[in-house]
Each structure stands twice: as C-alpha cells, then as structure tokens.
Amino acid sequence: MHGGAGAVGLAALQCARARGARVIATAGTETKRAMLRSLGAWHVLDSRSLGFVPRVRELTEGRPTSASTRC
C-alpha cells in the first residue's frame, strides 16, 4: 500500500487487516511509519526512497500482490 498513512490508505489498511491480509505499506516520515506499524502493517517502508521497490520484491519473493476491492 503506497502512501499508507493517508486517509484512504488507513481505511484500506484496516479493511485488509480485518480480512487477515499481511500489509506492506509505505509512508514518508518515521512518525507515519511508526503509526502504520502500530496499526498492524506487516512491513513499513520509506515512500520517499525508491529503495522500497526492491524490498517489496524481496518480501513477496517476486510474486504479484493482490488487493480486494471489497471490505
């Protein structure tokens, strides 16, 4: 979930966690990343660095990720 600390990201995080999903989220500041961790994000990465891209590939073992459109 890129930009997970915004209003839509937070709602999506809650929905995904309620469905048992492991969420990988990004946020631009350490404060926002800490908030995402406290809300149950599985991994939280820095959205202000492109370093999150290879890390997501590593965490997912290169498999595509999926998201549900229904909560």
Side-chain angles (χ1 to χ4, degrees):
M1 190 171 310
H2 189 52
V8 173
L10 291 172
L13 173 62
Q14 290 177 345
C15 180
R17 292 293 300 136
R19 296 174 64 92
R22 294 188 305 179
V23 176
I24 301 169
T26 66
T29 68
E30 183 52 44
T31 300
K32 290 178 181 180
R33 290 189 292 273
M35 177 185 60
L36 291 170
R37 284 185 206 96
S38 74
L39 294 173
W42 182 52
H43 282 278
V44 182
L45 309 170
D46 184 355
S47 65
R48 293 187 181 171
S49 164
L50 290 180
F52 77 85
V53 175
R55 182 69 177 132
V56 169
R57 286 190 186 121
E58 179 183 322
L59 291 168
T60 61
E61 298 177 345
R63 293 183 310 256
T65 58
S66 62
S68 174
T69 58
R70 293 181 286 159
C71 186

